[in-house]
Amino acid sequence: MAGKGFFIDTSKCTACRGCQVACKNWNQPFGTKGTKTVQRGNHQNPEDLSFFTYKLVRFSEVAVGGKPRWYFFADQCRHCLEPPCMYTAQSLGYKNITRDEKTGAVLYNPNIKVKLADGKAIRESCPWDIPRVNEKTGIMAKCTMCFNRITNGMLPACVKVCPTGTMNFGDLDKMTEMAQKRLKQVKSMYPNAQLTGPEIHRAIILFVDDPKKYHKFASSDVEPTIGASVRNIVQSVTSLAG
Ligand code: SF4
Ligand code: SF4
Ligand code: SF4
């Protein structure tokens, strides 16, 4: 598979949140910024992804054998091979979401506004609940794959700062190979370990346990063809209209 991709190896993550801070720092010129937060009795902060937060280290506390256990992973746009968000936007008449041919990055145009109801529909079409609309401006945003960095020979900011090797970026084929090799290595220690993503999207994640223990949207039960199905519907409607 051509293009670029991530391999996010949660078995190495220490939840330091360096990736989250680096993302916010690098993307400030495009709209990310610090937001007011409160302590909610959990290490996760802020509470959710937003128009101002493209990357979030999610925490979940689960009781295992009467003892608390933390699951955490760095959440972001998966850059789907067949992006449901893009096809939904097209079906609503917008050209605010495109896919770069060379890298496969799914990009949101910061100059095109959507109606709030349409922004909600676009968000709901994302199996991982990623994109967000700014309710004041009608602009949508999410992870850009650090397009302005990767097209200038640099790693994405979140990958560059990760001190543990959790965040990896490169040719999608290489990332897939790396993920499959690592899955085999960790299986003896984590029998429930699994990969989400290969053949569906470009951010392959290795979870060491059931992804649903991490977050309700960590692994959608989406079929690999969901984006293609939406695309086919859009194309049928377009040809009927024509
Ligand atoms: Fe985990 Fe790396 Fe992010 Fe730290 S920078 S939270 S180790 S993914
Ligand atoms: Fe943020 Fe860039 Fe990483 Fe995307 S690739 S999560 S925009 S730092
Ligand atoms: Fe779109 Fe969601 Fe896929 Fe990202 S993860 S490309 S926002 S559908």
Side-chain angles (χ1 to χ4, degrees):
M1 185 71 66
K4 299 293 182 185
F6 300 85
F7 169 43
I8 304 175
D9 180 356
T10 71
S11 73
K12 295 183 175 176
C13 184
T14 60
C16 70
R17 295 196 290 204
C19 53
Q20 185 179 314
V21 173
C23 176
K24 195 154 275 205
N25 191 36
W26 179 259
N27 289 297
Q28 278 182 52
F30 314 104
T32 58
K33 65 174 185 182
T35 50
K36 202 168 181 180
T37 60
V38 292
Q39 172 55 260
R40 288 168 290 103
N42 181 318
H43 193 51
Q44 181 178 312
N45 212 350
E47 189 172 13
D48 202 358
L49 292 169
S50 72
F51 179 80
F52 306 108
T53 303
Y54 304 169
K55 176 105 174 172
L56 177 66
V57 179
R58 292 197 183 276
F59 288 79
S60 130
E61 195 172 273
V62 177
V64 179
K67 291 183 179 169
R69 176 159 176 197
W70 272 8
Y71 291 92
F72 38 82
F73 80 108
D75 199 5
Q76 62 167 84
C77 171
R78 312 303 200 260
H79 295 276
C80 301
L81 301 180
E82 297 288 352
C85 61
M86 184 177 82
Y87 294 121
T88 301
Q90 285 176 4
S91 74
L92 294 167
Y94 296 106
K95 293 182 179 167
N96 63 326
I97 305 175
T98 53
R99 181 178 43 192
D100 177 59
E101 266 185 35
K102 199 167 169 200
T103 60
V106 178
L107 302 169
Y108 282 33
N109 187 322
N111 299 312
I112 299 180
K113 295 178 185 182
V114 300
K115 288 182 192 157
L116 292 189
D118 294 339
K120 187 169 176 276
I122 292 168
R123 172 178 169 182
E124 285 175 354
S125 73
C126 170
W128 295 277
D129 191 35
I130 299 294
R132 302 300 155 100
V133 62
N134 183 326
E135 294 194 357
K136 286 190 182 153
T137 63
I139 301 292
M140 297 195 75
K142 61 156 193 72
C143 158
T144 63
M145 204 188 265
C146 277
F147 194 69
N148 57 355
R149 289 177 63 91
I150 63 170
T151 50
N152 285 291
M154 292 186 280
L155 285 170
C158 56
V159 177
K160 177 81 177 163
V161 302
C162 177
T164 62
T166 303
M167 294 297 309
N168 302 275
F169 182 82
D171 290 341
L172 183 57
D173 286 343
K174 199 172 158 204
M175 291 299 107
T176 305
E177 204 181 303
M178 189 188 277
Q180 285 164 346
K181 195 171 159 197
R182 181 66 181 157
L183 178 64
K184 278 189 195 153
Q185 285 173 350
V186 302
K187 268 287 186 183
S188 57
M189 187 179 281
Y190 304 110
N192 295 331
Q194 54 194 276
L195 298 177
T196 66
E199 298 175 17
I200 304 175
H201 55 66
R202 294 175 183 277
I204 303 164
I205 306 179
L206 188 160
F207 291 104
V208 299
D209 206 338
D210 180 354
K212 288 193 171 60
K213 290 184 180 168
Y214 291 73
H215 184 245
K216 61 181 171 178
F217 291 110
S219 175
S220 162
D221 294 328
V222 63
E223 293 295 324
T225 52
I226 186 172
S229 304
V230 179
R231 179 195 60 203
N232 292 339
I233 293 166
V234 172
Q235 285 174 347
S236 308
V237 171
T238 309
S239 66
L240 281 174

